[in-house]
Amino acid sequence: MDTADQLASAGTFQVLKLPLGFIRVLEWLFAIFAFATCGGYSGQLRVSVDCMEKASSNLSIAIDFSYPFRLYQVSFEAPACEAMRRDRVFLTGDYSSSAEFFVTIAVFAFLYSLMATVVYIFFRNKYHENNRGPLIDFVVTVVFSFMWLVGSSAWAKALSEVKLATDPDEVQLLISACKLQTNKCGSVHGPRWSGLNTSVAFGFLNFVLWAGNIWFVFKETVWHKGGSKFASGSAEKQTGTFNQQPYNQGSFDQSGSYNSQGNLGQVSDYSQVGEPTSYSNQM
C-alpha cells in the first residue's frame, strides 16, 4: 500500500505514526532546538590587568557578547596603567551573516514543518488533489535539505572564528597595557560553548532528517506513481506475450501424418505395379 493510500485510510492523528508525518514532527522539534540554542546565546569572558601601579589594576574585566555576534560592536573598559586613565577596547570580527542565516533557516523550517503537519492531519484530501501538494512538498523538502547543509556548514565555520576572537588570550592582545612587560595580564575564565556547539549539532541533524524525508515525500508524487505503473505494465505485457506463444506441436503432428500417408501411398502404388509382373512370369 502506498503512503497516499495509508494517509487516506488512517485516522486523523494516525498520520503521525507514518514515516512522512512522524519525520515532519521531528523536523518541527529540532528546528526549535536549532534556532533556540543559537539565537538565544549570550556569553561572557573575563580578563585581568595587573598594573605596576596597583591602584590602576582591574583583576576582573567582564566582556559580554551575544547573538548575532557582531563582535566589533562589543566594547569594554580596560585600565591603561597610567594614573587612573582607562581605555575603551573593541573586539574584532563580524559573524552575524552566518549566524542570522542559520537562524533564519531554522525559523522557516519550523514554520513549514508545522504547516505541513497540519495539512497532513486535517487536509489530506486537499493535499492529494491534482497532485500539486506532493510536488510542492517534494521541491520544498529538497530545498530545505540543501539549505540546512549550507547553513550548518557556514555556521560551524563562523563558530570556530567566534571562539578564536573571544579567546581571553587573544583579547589581551587588544589591551594596550598588556603590551608592556611591567604589567601582567591574564584570563579569569572563558566563554562556555556548549550551547553553540549544540546548535551546530542540531543543524546537521536537521539536514539528516530533511534529506531522509525526501524519499517519503517523493513516494507521494506522480513521478513515483507513474514509474511504478509503467514498470508493472511492462511486466504484465511481457507475461502476456509469453503466454500467447505456446509450443506448436499440432503443426508438427499434421506434417508428420501427411508425410506418413504419402509414403504409404507410394508403397501401395509400387505393389500394384508389381503384381501384373509377377502374374506374367507365372504364365
Side-chain angles (χ1 to χ4, degrees):
M1 183 182 293
D2 293 338
T3 309
D5 299 332
Q6 294 177 352
L7 286 173
S9 60
T12 302
F13 290 97
Q14 295 296 321
V15 178
L16 301 180
K17 296 182 179 180
L18 301 177
L20 181 63
F22 181 71
I23 294 178
R24 280 285 182 244
V25 174
L26 292 180
E27 292 170 352
W28 177 70
L29 290 175
F30 284 104
I32 296 176
F33 297 149
F35 72 73
T37 52
C38 180
Y41 178 83
S42 61
Q44 183 187 81
L45 66 139
R46 289 181 178 269
V47 296
S48 63
V49 179
D50 188 7
C51 300
M52 188 174 181
E53 299 179 1
K54 299 299 183 181
S56 302
S57 300
N58 190 341
L59 301 181
S60 182
I61 303 174
I63 306 171
D64 298 318
F65 64 97
S66 61
Y67 173 86
F69 307 103
R70 294 187 178 94
L71 300 183
Y72 70 95
Q73 297 179 350
V74 177
S75 63
F76 61 95
E77 289 185 352
C81 294
E82 295 178 1
M84 299 299 292
R85 187 171 64 86
R86 293 180 177 275
D87 296 334
R88 179 160 292 276
V89 183
F90 288 85
L91 299 181
T92 59
D94 183 8
Y95 309 99
S96 59
S97 59
S98 298
E100 290 176 342
F101 180 63
F102 179 81
V103 171
T104 301
I105 294 173
V107 171
F108 279 102
F110 160 76
L111 294 176
Y112 181 79
S113 299
L114 179 61
M115 181 188 68
T117 304
V118 171
V119 171
Y120 295 161
I121 295 175
F122 299 104
F123 303 99
R124 293 195 300 272
N125 295 331
K126 292 291 183 181
Y127 176 76
H128 292 285
E129 186 176 355
N130 297 326
N131 293 313
R132 293 181 180 179
L135 291 177
I136 296 174
D137 197 14
F138 174 75
V139 173
V140 174
T141 303
V142 172
V143 171
F144 267 111
S145 300
F146 176 74
M147 299 302 287
W148 270 118
L149 178 61
V150 174
S152 300
S153 300
W155 171 230
K157 182 178 183 300
L159 178 57
S160 63
E161 295 176 353
V162 170
K163 291 179 179 179
L164 180 61
T166 56
D167 185 2
D169 294 333
E170 295 293 330
V171 174
Q172 294 174 26
L173 301 177
L174 303 175
I175 303 174
S176 59
C178 296
K179 298 178 182 179
L180 301 176
Q181 296 181 354
T182 56
N183 303 319
K184 296 181 180 179
C185 298
S187 61
V188 179
H189 68 76
R192 295 181 179 179
W193 302 112
S194 57
L196 294 183
N197 291 335
T198 304
S199 69
V200 174
F202 279 127
F204 285 106
L205 183 58
N206 273 285
F207 162 69
V208 172
L209 286 174
W210 284 83
N213 205 22
I214 290 177
W215 167 246
F216 297 104
V217 180
F218 176 73
K219 291 174 66 176
E220 300 295 309
T221 63
V222 293
W223 300 327
H224 179 266
K225 295 178 180 178
S228 300
K229 291 180 180 179
F230 177 78
S232 61
S234 300
E236 291 177 357
K237 185 177 179 181
Q238 292 178 357
T239 304
T241 304
F242 179 77
N243 292 333
Q244 290 176 0
Q245 293 180 351
Y247 180 69
N248 195 355
Q249 185 177 0
S251 61
F252 175 80
D253 293 338
Q254 292 177 359
S255 62
S257 175
Y258 175 79
N259 293 333
S260 298
Q261 292 176 358
N263 293 333
L264 290 174
Q266 292 179 357
V267 172
S268 61
D269 292 340
Y270 177 79
S271 60
Q272 290 176 359
V273 174
E275 286 179 355
T277 304
S278 59
Y279 179 73
S280 58
N281 291 333
Q282 292 177 0
M283 293 294 295

